[in-house]
Amino acid sequence: MTDYARKMSLDLRMIDENVYSDHIDNKASHCAKLLNDYYKKYDAQKGTQFVFSDLGTYKPGEWNVYSEIKRKLVEDYHIPSYEIRFIQECKNEKAKKAMVDAMNRGDIRIIFGSTSMLGTGVNAQQRAVAVHHLDTPWRPSDLEQRNGRAVRKGNLIAKEFADNKVDVIIYAVERSLDSYKFNLLHNKQLFINQLKTNTLGSRTIDEGSMDEDSGMNFSEYVAVLSGNTDLLEKARLDKKITTLESERKNFLRERDAATGKLAEIESSVSFHTDKIKEAQSDLALFEKRVKRDEEGTPINKLTIKGVEDSTDIKIIAARLQEIDEKARTKGEYNKIGEIYGFSIMVKTESTSKDLFDCSVNRFFVKGQESIYYTETSAKPLLQFVFLKYSLYLYRMKQKLSSPSFADLFLGQRKVKQTLFSQINTIIDWAPIRAIIEVAYTKGYKSTGRPSYDSLVLFKIELLRTWYGLSDGEVEDQVNDRLSFSRFADLGMEDIVPDSTTVCRFRNILVEADLYDTLLAEFNRQLEAKGIIVKRGTIIDASITNTPRRPRGGKSYEVVEDRKEDENMEVSEKAMLKEVVKPNVDTEARWVKKMGKLHFGYKRHTVTDENGLVFAEETTAANESDMKHLETPLKKAKLPRKALVYADKGYDSMENKETLKRMKLKSRIMHKGTRGHEITERQQRINVAISKTRYKVERTFGSMHRWFGAGIARYVGLSKTHAQHIMESIAYNLYRTPGIIVSNCIR
């Protein structure tokens, strides 16, 4: 009987299609009308809709509600048949994925399905504007799953055109099984929510009031479907009472949490205030005890147990190394020496590395009271830190003096694999993929051979840049080297992209002008991890030569007759056109620098004080440095009052006004002119600036040595700019692990 009741509430023709006929007020008619309304409303955006029913699902050759609604949409509302599909048509996961992709593109506008087939595992939300429920499921979670196909992140149409909302339409018949099922859902959801919130003892379970995040609750649906307005009013009052009770409980809970948090903060402030006083007292005692040489370097004796009388750095370092290797303190602090009147302690700590437990010895300097200073926090004790690490350097040199073939091979492989794993740990690749897939959309095509993942191709580009390889060479290396293929996320069974595919991928990114965006995203992540710090910046330019330069003298061809009524010089110039020789980069230009001719491009690079690249601009080689200050600085997105270091080539009133307008502080070196030599003060300023500005030269030099930078690999300004950006990304990533280590031991 329950099955009959379900069918009757949905459509009487499901009982007997020969006895009962179509009616204007049945669910199929109302659903078809609303589907058409939403179809037309969001036609320009190709808005999509979901229709759910666990009863009367699509079966080829049989009458069913799905097919009936489709018939009405096609015949009555003239919606193309190919834009209306049933999920039951998909016989495998591949076909299902193709249908989902078509939904996201807007090729399919309306899709029908059951909870089991369409309610889970379908990410077709990008254009969804409405969800239609022809029947009511038995479980509250099923209703949530259905709505979740459209009400979720990634719905672009709802975000841009529908106030970030998706309409949910539930079709129900008064005094039918629909009322009973909603009442059942109401009780189930009420019990589930009270279990989740630990409120089973509250009176709301007896009163039957349950609030939803939005819209009507299940009790209101029951009241509406029963036809009794008193029940509806009671449901609304119950909802209001429950809301007020919930707000009261939230207030009390938040008040108690805030009181506890305040007490915790006050305790923390008191604790750290005491520690600051201790540290200040230790520092004052250090300043009192320290002895310095003429250059201001501390010269107090370092005393270590076992070698108390020795002052030989090698003997002390050897003893420290022995303690580091053999000490086992079981988590306790053991005194091993003294410096500046403070005790030097060692503590054995347990750690985990590569799934194995191991012990690591850490060294501390104990203050007068309770503070134990680590190597990084006790800056006055740098002498101790130097001695501790000097032995490691000494021993490494001893080991590398006569390495075996196996040591060299395994050591080299480990370093490279370690770099790749470190990069994968530091970088979140999901935003990088999102940027690339703005232009690289081949992976979404449902027909033809599957395309390579965009990240696979980008990581191959990174490998090509890191190792200075051509497209053909990087293809061979990824095929041959296990570390390369693993970094590129290619399995042993995967086919490596050929050189043509890599080249096409690079050209797609160039045409879409995405390289600057990619550099900015990498830098955003590095800045969030404290690797890049935008306190100050350095800007400079470097020449990138192209081998595709013209050979021999210029040649011209006559293109038109000279006009008698024009100036002779102008007219004769108009007659001639320079002949461009084959294999010449027409966008490159000649420039003379330090007495040597160059043909190519100029990269204008902005770096931080560590030499990491913020931004790049690429111009022809004959462009003046002075004219290209503002554009790369805008790309760098520097904070206000950041220092800008530059050499004499940028010294001009226009550039100083530019920096003033951008709220940046000028650190441009002073340039003398004929008859106006720079003053002694300006010379001293130049010397001070040069101590920071030189770091950009180190960046250029490292790129030349590591990646073979300075030679254009491609033809044209845009492709050369892409090369510059990739070299900057590769440089920043290559240096990142070393900077992290440096920050840890500083």
Side-chain angles (χ1 to χ4, degrees), residues 595-709:
K596 187 177 179 181
L597 284 173
H598 299 269
F599 184 79
Y601 301 92
K602 184 178 290 185
R603 65 187 305 169
H604 306 266
T605 304
V606 182
T607 74
D608 69 357
E609 294 181 358
N610 283 323
L612 298 182
V613 181
F614 284 157
E616 293 272 9
E617 185 188 14
T618 304
T619 65
N622 61 346
E623 294 283 339
S624 172
D625 300 357
M626 190 180 298
K627 298 179 180 179
H628 295 277
L629 178 71
E630 185 173 1
T631 301
L633 289 179
K634 283 183 176 179
K635 291 182 179 180
K637 297 180 180 179
L638 301 170
R640 285 189 172 188
K641 298 183 179 180
L643 305 177
V644 179
Y645 296 85
D647 63 18
K648 300 174 184 178
Y650 295 88
D651 186 19
S652 69
M653 290 301 299
E654 291 83 357
N655 283 344
K656 291 177 181 178
E657 288 296 324
T658 297
L659 294 178
K660 188 176 181 180
R661 187 178 67 256
M662 297 175 70
K663 310 296 185 190
L664 301 174
K665 292 186 177 181
S666 174
R667 292 295 184 270
I668 300 175
M669 296 176 68
H670 297 281
K671 179 175 64 176
T673 58
R674 185 176 295 177
H676 294 85
E677 300 291 333
I678 61 175
T679 64
E680 291 185 8
R681 180 177 177 275
Q682 289 175 331
Q683 288 178 355
R684 290 195 299 270
I685 292 173
N686 284 354
V687 171
I689 293 174
S690 65
K691 291 180 180 180
T692 299
R693 196 209 64 82
Y694 84 94
K695 294 177 182 178
V696 70
E697 304 288 354
R698 188 172 60 187
T699 298
F700 292 144
S702 298
M703 288 184 180
H704 281 244
R705 293 193 308 274
W706 296 344
F707 315 137

Side-chain angles (χ1 to χ4, degrees), residues 72 80 129 242 270 347 385 409 429 491 530 585 622 655 741:
K72 289 177 179 288
V129 296
T242 306
S270 177
K347 180 184 178 184
V385 179
F409 180 79
W429 293 103
D585 192 340
N622 61 346
N655 283 344
V741 173

Side-chain angles (χ1 to χ4, degrees), residues 174-200:
E174 290 184 355
R175 299 182 179 90
S176 70
L177 188 65
D178 290 335
S179 178
Y180 169 77
K181 291 182 73 175
F182 269 112
N183 187 54
L184 189 65
L185 283 180
H186 158 65
N187 292 327
K188 286 182 178 179
Q189 187 64 63
L190 177 62
F191 185 69
I192 292 170
N193 282 354
Q194 292 184 340
L195 276 177
K196 288 181 177 179
T197 58
N198 196 25
T199 56
L200 284 173

Side-chain angles (χ1 to χ4, degrees), residues 99-119:
M99 190 174 289
V100 169
D101 291 341
M103 281 277 291
N104 286 327
R105 293 193 302 270
D107 297 339
I108 297 175
R109 300 287 299 281
I110 300 171
I111 189 167
F112 292 76
S114 61
T115 304
S116 59
M117 293 193 69
L118 189 61

Side-chain angles (χ1 to χ4, degrees), residues 262-410:
L262 179 62
E264 182 183 339
I265 293 172
E266 289 176 344
S267 176
S268 178
V269 169
S270 177
F271 173 81
H272 287 96
T273 301
D274 293 339
K275 293 299 178 185
I276 290 171
K277 291 180 180 178
E278 286 187 36
Q280 289 173 341
S281 177
D282 291 339
L283 180 60
L285 192 60
F286 162 77
E287 294 293 347
K288 182 179 179 181
R289 293 172 177 173
V290 68
K291 298 178 182 178
R292 304 180 187 272
D293 59 15
E294 295 178 354
E295 297 179 355
T297 305
I299 58 174
N300 295 59
K301 181 183 176 183
L302 173 65
T303 304
I304 301 296
K305 285 185 178 180
V307 290
E308 292 88 342
D309 299 328
S310 179
T311 57
D312 189 334
I313 186 174
K314 291 184 179 180
I315 295 175
I316 296 173
R319 178 57 180 157
L320 284 171
Q321 183 63 34
E322 183 183 2
I323 295 171
D324 189 41
E325 293 177 348
K326 298 182 178 181
R328 295 295 182 267
T329 69
K330 299 181 179 179
E332 302 292 329
Y333 293 95
N334 286 0
K335 184 177 179 180
I336 62 168
E338 196 174 276
I339 189 170
Y340 311 118
F342 296 99
S343 298
I344 300 173
M345 317 293 287
V346 64
K347 180 184 178 184
T348 305
E349 298 179 348
S350 298
T351 185
S352 182
K353 185 178 181 182
D354 297 331
L355 302 178
F356 293 97
D357 293 331
C358 58
S359 296
V360 176
N361 284 315
R362 295 186 64 196
F363 293 86
F364 303 84
V365 177
K366 187 180 183 302
Q368 299 176 88
E369 298 182 33
S370 62
I371 299 179
Y372 288 86
Y373 300 95
T374 65
E375 298 98 323
T376 57
S377 64
K379 290 189 177 181
L381 308 174
L382 288 177
Q383 181 185 6
F384 166 68
V385 179
F386 167 75
L387 289 174
K388 180 177 181 293
Y389 285 96
S390 65
L391 179 67
Y392 292 126
L393 298 174
Y394 175 78
R395 293 188 69 206
M396 285 301 297
K397 290 178 181 178
Q398 294 295 108
K399 286 184 178 181
L400 295 175
S401 61
S402 56
S404 66
F405 176 80
D407 289 334
L408 285 174
F409 180 79
L410 294 175

